[in-house]
Amino acid sequence: MTKPLTREDLLKAYRTMRTIREFEERLHTDFATGEIPGFVHLYAGEEASATGVCMNLTAEDHIASTHRGHGHCIAKGVDPVGMMAEIWGRKTGTCKGKGGSMHIADLSVGMLGANGIVGGGGPLVCGTALAAKLRGQPHVSVCFFGDGASNQGTIFEAMNLASVWNLPVIFLAENNGYAEATSSKFSVACDNIADRASAFGMPGITVDGFDFFAVYEAAGAAIERARKGGGPSLVEVKLSRYYGHFEGDQQTYRAPGEVQNIRDTKDCLLQFARRVTTGGQLTQVELDSIDAEVKALIDGSVVKAKSDPKPSEADLLTDVYVSY
Amino acid sequence: MARKITYQQAINEALDQEMSRDQNVIVMGEDVAGGAGSPGEQDAWGGVLGVTRGLYHKHPGRVIDTPISESGYVGAAIGAACCGMRPVAELMFVDFLGVCFDQIFNQAAKFRYMFGGKSETPVVIRAMYGAGFRAAAQHSQCLYNIFTHIPGLKVVVPSNPYDVKGLLIQSIRDNDPVIFLEHKALYTMEGEVPEESYAIPFGEAAVVREGHDVTIVAIGRMVQKAQEAAAELQKQGIHCEIIDPRTTSPLDTDTILESVEKTGRLIVVDESHPRCSMASDIAGLAAERAFSSLRAPVRQITGPHAPVPFSDALEELYIPSAAHIVAAAKSLKEYR
């Protein structure tokens, strides 16, 4: 059974989801000014997934992420202040300004990196899981991937390999309905991505990705099973992104009002707040207080990022190798 | 104490000694044990040519058969390396690079730089390469050039049993991703190899033969061809200096340039295709940094810009020969 959520857990879950939302909304606003370089893919709307999964993990567990990775980073414990500096291309960033939005990684908290290659993370988590298994450690590895990556051969290979080697891996499919501009109704040749699990000899389940508690329970069960040596699972989380594939995407492929309707009726933060305040576990005052703290944190991270130094010429050729 | 063993035995011994030294060293690949899940016993094959045979029983649980899923298990080796394991993944034929290149050049090669120096990926990817086995276009290529092009990878091309052992041990101990390429025609080559463990540093070329007339830089198996040619040329009064770079990344440019400055003549022998090759790279190096020392044009002896053919008649024409090298050296000596 998944570990019951304490009051502290609920506060942490809300703070994590709010931090992701605030981080992404702020990037959306700032990107429009033209000051943020490169490609930025926002996770807003999907917060319940990263948070629901990572609330079941420790720093010793590993996750692999996607090009839409900010939420996974924050949920796994990467410092948002360093992340913001990284996205602004600063030397003080998580990766010293050499990775950017698509490559934020922090192995000290088990974050193997956002990944610019769709489906790139599947094989990697088989390796971190194999290491844990060979060392007799109870650590699990989670591969977050999208509906687009669900059609990549690397994911199929990784699912088969994880089953063959009986590895503690959770394949966490975030089906937000669109691979770039192409609907998963077109690109995925089965009703649910989770249906593919049986082909690889593992259990598969599809859950509502707007519901933190549903994700927490489903991922928790799969993680618990993996920790006990039960092998890999496939968990499909159905959700939606509030912004385009990347910032600047006009989203002409989406129906009018599609996102607003989801924001109004299904939003993970709204649902979470309603449930915990109605149930009496947390008060609206507590949630408002978290909102204010998170806003101050993100505001501060932007101010800092803007004034932090960029890398210099001396940094261009460092860290290509450990030894030369 | 040194004794004569083959190139293949030297590889096996290096793996064995490193696995004994460090529990984090694991070996994985298709049939590296051989027979997993089959009625025959484990370790039935020890790799498709038997290179890893015997390691399975000596190092239980650390010689791991994989499905034929190169992206999957090469990526798994890279992921395991990210958390401190030292995996040696065998790609079997380097030609299979095509089905797992992303994991090598977009993942392993990039992590350290992209993550601001906060990660290490001590993975070794072994593969055999090269023509001469009538194995045709998809099992005979020399793809070290492609790997050498990628910053973040180190590329090793040992030419003899002594080097293959010392360089493989260095590869396993090295903290960067290493592509370790074994010419399949060298597996049966015998040579003096010390029993004890030793590591040969990367980026240090071997001066295989000293001479003052012509410098021959030869890659991998081509070192043998260069030695044959040099013996013949000696009889004709032409004294060749043979440089074996041993690693194409890092490349020991100093040793090459010093030799070219001494001889004034350079031949590069590279079994791969001519465009964007080690041959063109080293020729360019000499043109840029030893121009005033050159007494004749640089000669590149490579395979042709064509896939490796199957028929023995054609494959023999394809592979650079000692005769090619002899003719080139004579023409350089007679230049002006």
Side-chain angles (χ1 to χ4, degrees):
Chain A
M1 275 302 290
T2 310
K3 185 168 66 80
L5 290 160
T6 64
R7 234 181 74 79
E8 281 63 39
D9 291 334
L10 294 173
L11 287 166
K12 182 182 173 191
Y14 182 78
R15 182 182 296 275
T16 302
M17 290 200 290
R18 178 57 71 192
T19 304
I20 298 169
R21 178 67 56 86
E22 188 71 26
F23 193 91
E24 300 295 64
E25 295 284 10
R26 184 60 191 263
L27 278 174
H28 177 70
T29 305
D30 287 351
F31 193 87
T33 69
E35 289 178 277
I36 295 179
F39 304 134
V40 174
H41 308 78
L42 299 182
Y43 194 73
E46 306 188 9
E47 294 86 348
S49 174
T51 309
V53 172
C54 292
M55 287 288 291
N56 289 285
L57 301 178
T58 71
E60 285 73 36
D61 297 319
H62 284 92
I63 67 166
S65 173
T66 72
H67 55 276
R68 197 176 304 289
H70 304 162
H72 305 133
C73 291
I74 291 171
K76 193 66 175 62
V78 182
D79 172 28
V81 177
M83 289 174 58
M84 191 62 85
E86 184 63 31
I87 292 165
W88 280 80
R90 307 296 159 157
K91 186 172 181 171
T92 52
T94 317
C95 305
K96 300 182 187 169
K98 287 177 169 177
S101 166
M102 279 190 287
H103 306 298
I104 298 172
D106 185 350
L107 275 83
S108 70
V109 295
M111 169 61 193
L112 283 166
N115 206 311
I117 305 300
V118 172
L124 300 174
V125 296
C126 288
T128 52
L130 176 68
K133 183 177 174 175
L134 290 174
R135 289 167 169 163
Q137 296 165 331
H139 312 320
V140 304
S141 297
V142 178
C143 174
F144 287 98
F145 63 103
D147 44 292
S150 78
N151 299 321
Q152 281 279 35
T154 46
I155 295 297
F156 301 150
E157 289 193 20
M159 286 200 280
N160 187 63
L161 189 63
S163 256
V164 165
W165 283 349
N166 194 40
L167 296 175
V169 173
I170 290 81
F171 294 92
L172 203 296
E174 294 180 322
N175 184 351
N176 66 19
Y178 299 96
E180 297 190 7
T182 298
S183 170
S184 59
K185 292 189 182 75
F186 165 81
S187 66
V188 179
C190 50
D191 291 339
N192 299 300
I193 293 169
D195 295 346
R196 293 176 174 170
S198 63
F200 298 104
M202 66 178 78
I205 184 171
T206 301
V207 295
D208 174 4
F210 299 102
D211 180 352
F212 163 82
F213 297 95
V215 177
Y216 178 79
E217 290 294 330
I223 289 166
E224 190 64 16
R225 179 172 179 273
R227 274 198 213 288
K228 289 180 173 162
S233 301
L234 172 58
V235 178
E236 177 187 14
V237 175
K238 289 202 169 172
L239 33 65
S240 184
R241 55 169 151 85
Y242 286 174
Y243 295 111
H245 167 62
F246 46 69
E247 282 309 272
D249 172 7
Q250 296 304 309
Q251 302 187 74
T252 46
Y253 49 88
R254 298 184 88 164
E258 179 182 315
V259 173
Q260 193 56 49
N261 182 43
I262 293 167
R263 277 189 186 261
D264 293 343
T265 60
K266 293 184 176 174
D267 184 78
C268 59
L269 278 152
L270 282 180
Q271 286 198 58
F272 184 94
R274 191 181 306 135
R275 176 158 162 177
V276 295
T277 52
T278 310
Q281 294 110 315
L282 303 179
T283 67
Q284 190 59 48
V285 174
E286 286 174 311
L287 300 185
D288 292 345
S289 161
I290 289 173
D291 289 356
E293 286 169 24
V294 166
K295 184 169 187 315
L297 173 74
I298 302 304
D299 284 350
S301 76
V302 175
V303 171
K304 182 171 183 303
K306 283 183 173 183
S307 63
D308 278 350
K310 289 186 176 179
S312 63
E313 190 174 351
D315 301 310
L316 180 65
L317 298 179
T318 58
D319 293 328
V320 180
Y321 296 96
V322 179
S323 61
Y324 288 81
Chain B
M1 209 186 89
R3 72 285 187 234
K4 275 198 167 180
I5 59 173
T6 64
Y7 188 90
Q8 171 168 336
Q9 287 167 329
I11 294 167
N12 185 288
E13 190 166 276
L15 290 169
D16 187 20
Q17 290 179 353
E18 285 302 286
M19 293 184 88
S20 299
R21 184 186 65 81
D22 183 349
Q23 293 290 310
N24 288 312
V25 180
I26 55 175
V27 170
M28 60 169 81
E30 291 152 18
D31 295 312
V32 290
S38 304
E41 64 180 306
Q42 292 271 9
D43 200 26
W45 271 23
V48 68
L49 296 182
V51 174
T52 50
R53 192 153 199 183
L55 300 177
Y56 177 84
H57 294 293
K58 283 191 191 171
H59 308 284
R62 293 197 284 142
V63 178
I64 305 168
D65 276 345
T66 68
I68 300 177
S69 303
E70 286 86 357
S71 280
Y73 75 78
V74 168
I78 293 162
C82 287
C83 44
M85 302 297 286
R86 292 187 174 273
V88 181
E90 187 186 303
L91 189 51
M92 201 180 302
F93 293 90
V94 75
D95 312 71
F96 305 163
L97 161 71
V99 287
C100 61
F101 200 20
D102 177 67
Q103 290 292 324
I104 298 172
F105 90 108
N106 270 327
Q107 312 295 339
K110 304 283 194 287
F111 283 166
R112 184 162 182 82
Y113 192 81
M114 218 162 53
F115 301 164
K118 293 180 186 168
S119 66
E120 294 184 358
T121 312
V123 66
V124 181
I125 298 164
R126 286 182 49 233
M128 63 177 125
Y129 75 99
F133 271 58
R134 322 304 178 215
Q138 295 174 343
H139 291 74
S140 302
Q141 296 172 85
C142 293
L143 300 179
Y144 38 77
N145 303 317
I146 291 177
F147 296 110
T148 304
H149 183 71
I150 309 294
L153 300 178
K154 293 175 176 173
V155 184
V156 186
V157 282
S159 68
N160 61 73
Y162 177 86
D163 283 357
V164 83
K165 179 174 173 183
L167 288 166
L168 182 51
I169 288 172
Q170 174 60 35
S171 300
I172 293 168
R173 295 179 187 177
D174 201 271
N175 289 322
D176 290 306
V178 176
I179 310 297
F180 193 87
L181 298 175
E182 303 156 10
H183 198 295
K184 55 178 87 68
L186 297 178
Y187 279 131
T188 54
M189 178 188 187
E190 288 195 333
E192 296 271 327
V193 177
E195 282 178 33
E196 59 272 20
S197 180
Y198 59 96
I200 297 173
F202 290 164
E204 291 190 11
V207 180
V208 176
R209 179 188 180 110
E210 291 189 24
H212 54 265
D213 289 326
V214 181
T215 298
I216 304 174
V217 178
I219 312 290
R221 184 194 180 196
M222 294 299 106
V223 174
Q224 274 188 348
K225 304 280 185 187
Q227 285 171 306
E228 284 173 44
E232 173 58 30
L233 287 160
Q234 175 87 21
K235 293 179 200 160
Q236 301 182 29
I238 298 175
H239 305 281
C240 297
E241 180 145 297
I242 301 175
I243 311 285
D244 174 0
R246 300 200 283 201
T247 56
T248 59
S249 179
L251 182 67
D252 181 356
T253 55
D254 289 349
T255 299
I256 294 170
L257 289 169
E258 276 165 27
S259 180
V260 173
E261 281 159 12
K262 180 171 76 175
T263 64
R265 300 178 187 90
L266 173 62
I267 298 170
V268 191
V269 194
D270 174 355
E271 190 186 317
S272 71
H273 311 299
R275 301 286 98 78
C276 299
S277 61
M278 286 315 298
S280 61
D281 186 276
I282 292 168
L285 174 78
E288 187 174 349
R289 291 172 54 190
F291 183 74
S292 60
S293 302
L294 288 172
R295 295 197 242 172
V298 176
R299 288 291 304 273
Q300 302 175 47
I301 299 178
T302 68
H305 192 67
V308 181
F310 166 65
S311 168
D312 57 346
L314 293 176
E315 193 180 32
E316 289 310 308
L317 291 171
Y318 179 99
I319 301 169
S321 68
H324 289 129
I325 302 169
V326 168
K330 286 164 77 173
S331 76
L332 293 191
K333 194 69 171 50
E334 288 159 9
Y335 185 80
R336 280 198 296 217

